[in-house]
Amino acid sequence: DEFFTLCISHLSSFHEMLRAMPADGQPPLQYLLVHPFLHWFGVSELSLRLASIVAWLAAALLTWRIVRTHGTPVQALFSATVMLGATTASLWLTGFSIKDLAFTARPYQMVLALTALSYLCWQIAASRESRRLLPLCGLTLSIAAAVFAHHYAILQIGPFLITGEIVRTLRRRRLDLPVLAAAAVGLLPLVFTVPLAIQSHNLIGVVVEHSLSYWDRPSLADLAYWPAMTPWLLFLQVSVLACLPESHRAGVAAPDPLPEVPRHELAAATALLLLTPAQVLLAITKTHYFFPRYAIGATLGFALLFAWAWPRTGYLRQHALRALAALTLMYLAAVAAVLLIEPFVYPIGRTYLVK
């Protein structure tokens, strides 16, 4: 898969990229973002994956910001470490390499970051009755960019946005037309990507659908990947934080009650968490192939819900921040180690140059 990204992104013009895209089956955003890195830094594993690494880090920062709106700094940092860990260490348990979600040269990290950005913009817009132009524009642009990043991106953003707006509408007893309009405008790139998706399906999907020996037919057994979307090192995080004293037990005045998370945001985060079983069922009934990264938005749902639903993290202070900072550095060090080691094990750039 990364080889497709390399070959198409390395083409000299957008017209050539456009002609080659149906062979890979992806919209143009990842190729347009990877192309300048290959041009500036040459063909290497790092330059090929740099756009994905930036998107991966951006997803963690955006998750921090979303949780911080209704939580303490400890809760926010906890959610960011969950996000980093869910896209790195956990995949050793599923037979995937560490790069499959963390920084592979594919559009999934971009989809994750854009899903988080659209959630943040929707969160801000839903909390206001005025001065909403900036978050509404952000919602439109993030949805449009996600559509240009991957055909399944709308299946990441759509469920949480629809679920959240249904809950809001029931509570407000009226539709939020500006939010709906912003989302609708963001879907306009489908005019470009749907024909590309149909062309790719005719080229690749039909063959998979009618193949008698395709190696990865989806089944209900794929639901086993759902818990694997969470970091196994999360148990270390929980153990460390559970042993730390709460602020009011350490001789400090009892903190104020934690802010309440709106129900529509909890509903939206739950919809994200349920993406894995939803995608598995879609694969069984329609697409006939499934990979865990197709439901990468589930990691965002898990990070949000766990940080908000574990109130104890809201009452922890400096010791917790230090522990979480250490765990964050651990995740980043794991990715850095793989980036340094993998070129000697799986030399994508060198293979391409030889050819």
Side-chain angles (χ1 to χ4, degrees):
D1 285 351
E2 289 188 301
F3 198 74
F4 273 116
T5 302
L6 175 59
C7 293
I8 296 175
S9 301
H10 202 245
L11 295 174
S12 59
S13 69
F14 178 72
H15 177 69
E16 292 179 334
M17 292 183 193
L18 194 61
R19 291 182 58 193
M21 284 175 199
D24 186 20
Q26 304 297 346
L29 183 62
Q30 65 162 336
Y31 313 118
L32 295 176
L33 293 179
V34 171
H35 178 81
F37 289 116
L38 296 177
H39 177 72
W40 296 332
F41 304 117
V43 177
S44 69
E45 289 78 5
L46 180 59
S47 60
L48 181 65
R49 296 169 178 155
L50 199 53
S52 294
I53 294 171
V54 172
W56 172 65
L57 295 173
L61 291 174
L62 289 165
T63 303
W64 177 91
R65 181 65 183 85
I66 292 169
V67 172
R68 185 68 181 92
T69 302
H70 306 299
T72 66
V74 174
Q75 287 177 302
L77 185 55
F78 181 82
S79 68
T81 58
V82 169
M83 175 66 79
L84 294 174
T87 48
T88 53
S90 67
L91 296 184
W92 280 319
L93 300 183
T94 67
F96 290 88
S97 70
I98 191 175
K99 67 181 177 58
D100 276 297
L101 287 185
F103 58 86
T104 183
R106 301 299 283 165
Y108 305 105
Q109 299 80 10
M110 300 173 195
V111 170
L112 183 60
L114 291 167
T115 300
L117 179 59
S118 63
Y119 191 107
L120 177 61
C121 293
W122 171 72
Q123 179 191 60
I124 296 173
S127 66
R128 300 177 180 177
E129 293 295 335
S130 61
R131 296 184 301 158
R132 308 172 76 196
L133 180 60
L134 186 59
L136 289 174
C137 289
L139 179 61
T140 297
L141 293 175
S142 58
I143 293 175
V147 170
F148 274 124
H150 196 283
H151 297 305
Y152 278 10
I154 193 62
L155 299 180
Q156 313 290 317
I157 297 175
F160 92 73
L161 195 56
I162 293 172
T163 303
E165 281 303 302
I166 288 175
V167 174
R168 286 189 69 221
T169 300
L170 292 175
R171 292 177 62 84
R172 299 170 73 243
R173 299 185 181 278
R174 67 182 189 277
L175 294 172
D176 192 337
L177 294 179
V179 168
L180 298 179
V185 173
L187 295 175
L188 290 179
L190 288 173
V191 174
F192 172 81
T193 61
V194 167
L196 179 62
I198 294 173
Q199 190 176 2
S200 299
H201 176 74
N202 293 335
L203 186 64
I204 304 172
V206 172
V207 176
V208 171
E209 185 175 346
H210 293 90
S211 173
L212 299 177
S213 58
Y214 181 63
W215 65 277
D216 196 25
R217 288 292 183 196
S219 68
L220 292 178
D222 288 322
L223 290 174
Y225 289 118
W226 195 13
M229 301 294 282
T230 62
W232 61 269
L233 284 178
L234 173 66
F235 297 110
L236 174 60
Q237 293 180 220
V238 173
S239 300
V240 170
L241 296 183
C243 295
L244 295 176
E246 295 181 7
S247 59
H248 63 274
R249 293 178 182 174
V252 181
D256 295 331
L258 297 177
E260 181 180 358
V261 182
R263 291 183 182 180
H264 61 269
E265 291 191 33
L266 292 175
T270 302
L272 285 168
L273 183 63
L274 296 175
L275 281 176
T276 300
Q279 292 276 25
V280 169
L281 293 176
L282 176 65
I284 293 174
T285 58
K286 183 63 178 177
T287 63
H288 306 292
Y289 53 91
F290 171 78
F291 295 98
R293 54 184 177 262
Y294 290 168
I296 193 171
T299 61
L300 175 60
F302 182 85
L304 297 180
L305 286 175
F306 203 96
W308 279 330
W310 193 28
R312 175 172 160 68
T313 58
Y315 296 114
L316 298 174
R317 291 295 184 267
Q318 294 303 318
H319 293 301
L321 286 173
R322 296 189 190 101
L324 289 171
L327 287 166
T328 301
L329 291 176
M330 182 189 305
Y331 291 140
L332 296 177
V335 171
V338 173
L339 282 170
L340 293 174
I341 295 171
E342 195 172 35
F344 300 100
V345 180
Y346 184 46
I348 301 175
R350 293 167 181 78
T351 301
Y352 179 75
L353 289 175
V354 169
K355 288 181 180 295

